[in-house]
Amino acid sequence: MSVADLYERGFGVPAAVFATASGRVNLLGEHTDYNQGLVLPAAIALATEVAIGPSRDDSFHLLSQNMDGAHARVDYADGSSPPPGYGRYVYGCIEVLRLNGVDIAPCSVAIHSTVPMGAGLSSSAALEVAVLRALRKLHGLALDDVTIAKFAQRAEVEFAGVHCGIMDQMAVSVGQPGQLLFLDTRSLAYRLVPFPPGTEIAIFDCGVPRTLATSGYNERRRECEAAAAALGVAALRDVVDPESIASLPSPLRERARHVVSENQRVRIAAAGVDAATFGQLMNESHRSLRDDFEVSIDALDALVESVLSQPRVFGCKLTGAGFGGACVALLGAGAGAAVKEGALSAFARRGFRGSVLL
Ligand code: GLA
């Protein structure tokens, strides 16, 4: 059912405005954004669509076809907050606009998404940006795309309780499918760069949900902050002499080593490299995330190895926060179908059940 039909069936009248936002996959620059570093994500061809119109009472009414099966319909009175779940992201966007002086009357929202939830493809950022774009249209707001990304991040941190960086929201708000987004998360300066010539990407899910994603993520954040404080820098982004991290106690040393080396990998890739070099950087990134940052799990490692054992694969790594979820691979153009089939069979032979996300 289209999002327009979903809205009309659920609320009895046609929606006033529609907006869409893509999910994202991150090719390089993992766990660097909250260290004020560099990232290289890309928007993908999976998207979240929203339809919004005025509510006919004093409550907000949310309807989702596939965001959250158990809580497909959420109704909450203005002045209260919805229960944990996808409703919190919508609520957060509305409250952030209000905190910025925008008068938002209760509205009805229908959501349809092809971005899988909890796989590491930024379903939450896609929802936030789509909702903010729709509200921008509905209220004729003069908000540029970078401001939308900042508001979306604030909604997630302050209202959904996830202390994320700004990579996902920027990738979703200013990224373009088919292009890499080279973003400096400190200045928010960015430029779109092409993928290495003759390549395409594939995205796989390892079948294990990201159970530790929130607690493990927040712990890594704290470790990075502790490492930066011990080194006397504002953020790990500012480490100029990589040798200086040798003095840190474990595991701060390993965490810092990941962040410093990962920023360097992004710099090299964004300058323009061939597919083989780009793939090697992705492989190094995965090893660093596995060994130094310790955010991989057995299923993800086995999946990455299964993908790398296929012909015409340049590189493969976990994508997003880790602790389960997805991995992304860079392949020779046209190799997608064979690699996907071969990788899933190899993964199954190792006792896991994965799936292809894109
Ligand atoms: C999650 C967060 C991002 C980023 C990645 C790891 O996707 O939302 O801000 O930190 O993890 O690179």
Side-chain angles (χ1 to χ4, degrees):
M1 196 192 308
S2 73
V3 77
D5 290 343
L6 183 67
Y7 187 99
E8 206 162 330
R9 284 208 200 166
F11 304 122
V13 286
V17 292
F18 297 89
T20 300
S22 303
R24 71 94 188 90
V25 66
N26 191 22
L27 276 287
L28 279 171
E30 224 63 87
H31 291 273
T32 50
D33 61 351
Y34 55 83
N35 292 295
Q36 302 189 16
L38 308 170
V39 294
L40 201 58
I44 53 176
L46 299 173
T48 299
E49 298 172 281
V50 303
I52 299 192
S55 166
R56 288 183 286 180
D57 56 27
D58 289 336
S59 290
F60 287 87
H61 304 283
L62 318 178
L63 193 54
S64 121
Q65 197 167 29
N66 44 10
M67 282 302 288
D68 192 344
H71 303 100
R73 171 112 194 193
V74 176
D75 301 279
Y76 70 96
D78 198 5
S80 68
S81 68
Y86 81 90
R88 282 280 169 89
Y89 297 97
V90 179
Y91 164 72
C93 291
I94 289 160
E95 295 307 309
V96 168
L97 285 174
R98 286 175 164 175
L99 288 169
N100 282 277
V102 182
D103 187 17
I104 307 259
C107 53
S108 299
V109 184
I111 303 159
H112 177 268
S113 184
T114 55
V115 187
M117 288 194 73
L121 299 184
S122 293
S123 55
S124 55
L127 174 60
E128 291 149 9
V129 170
V131 166
L132 287 166
R133 283 177 175 167
L135 291 171
R136 170 169 69 184
K137 244 187 233 174
L138 186 65
H139 295 273
L141 307 173
L143 295 176
D144 61 33
D145 291 338
V146 172
T147 306
I148 292 247
K150 288 182 183 167
F151 283 5
Q153 184 204 18
R154 192 168 169 201
E156 184 141 355
V157 172
E158 293 180 24
F159 295 90
V162 183
H163 290 270
C164 61
I166 199 158
M167 167 173 72
D168 301 346
Q169 291 79 10
M170 279 294 284
V172 168
S173 191
V174 307
Q176 302 281 339
Q179 306 243 52
L180 292 161
L181 177 76
F182 177 40
L183 169 70
D184 181 328
T185 64
R186 173 173 274 167
S187 65
L188 297 189
Y190 65 87
R191 72 188 158 81
L192 294 169
V193 297
F195 276 89
T199 60
E200 63 182 52
I201 58 169
I203 307 173
F204 300 86
D205 187 272
C206 76
V208 179
R210 299 178 307 153
T211 35
L212 270 176
T214 307
S215 57
Y217 186 88
N218 290 340
E219 185 188 48
R220 291 296 175 279
R221 246 195 116 119
R222 282 194 300 276
E223 290 168 342
C224 288
E225 280 157 16
L231 293 169
V233 291
L236 287 178
R237 153 72 179 271
D238 300 310
V239 172
V240 275
D241 173 17
E243 300 289 303
S244 64
I245 58 184
S247 63
L248 289 171
S250 197
L252 302 192
R253 180 173 56 237
E254 290 78 12
R255 307 296 187 246
R257 190 161 63 198
H258 166 73
V259 173
V260 172
S261 63
E262 186 79 350
N263 278 326
Q264 189 54 16
R265 285 186 280 274
V266 175
R267 263 188 214 100
I268 296 169
V273 293
D274 63 16
T277 309
F278 198 109
Q280 270 167 26
L281 293 165
M282 291 173 72
N283 295 338
E284 281 169 28
S285 171
H286 185 79
R287 286 194 289 270
S288 178
L289 288 160
R290 180 190 68 195
D291 302 337
D292 277 350
F293 217 65
E294 294 185 279
V295 291
S296 191
I297 59 169
D298 290 347
L300 273 173
D301 294 338
L303 180 55
V304 166
E305 284 161 25
S306 304
V307 176
L308 287 174
S309 68
Q310 305 305 308
R312 303 193 62 207
V313 176
F314 296 110
C316 187
K317 62 177 271 293
L318 70 84
T319 187
F323 304 105
C327 73
V328 59
L330 187 72
L331 327 170
V339 169
K340 287 168 189 170
E341 203 190 315
L344 286 188
S345 313
F347 193 47
R349 284 196 295 277
R350 300 176 72 142
F352 297 99
R353 208 188 154 97
S355 59
V356 171
L357 296 176
L358 192 74

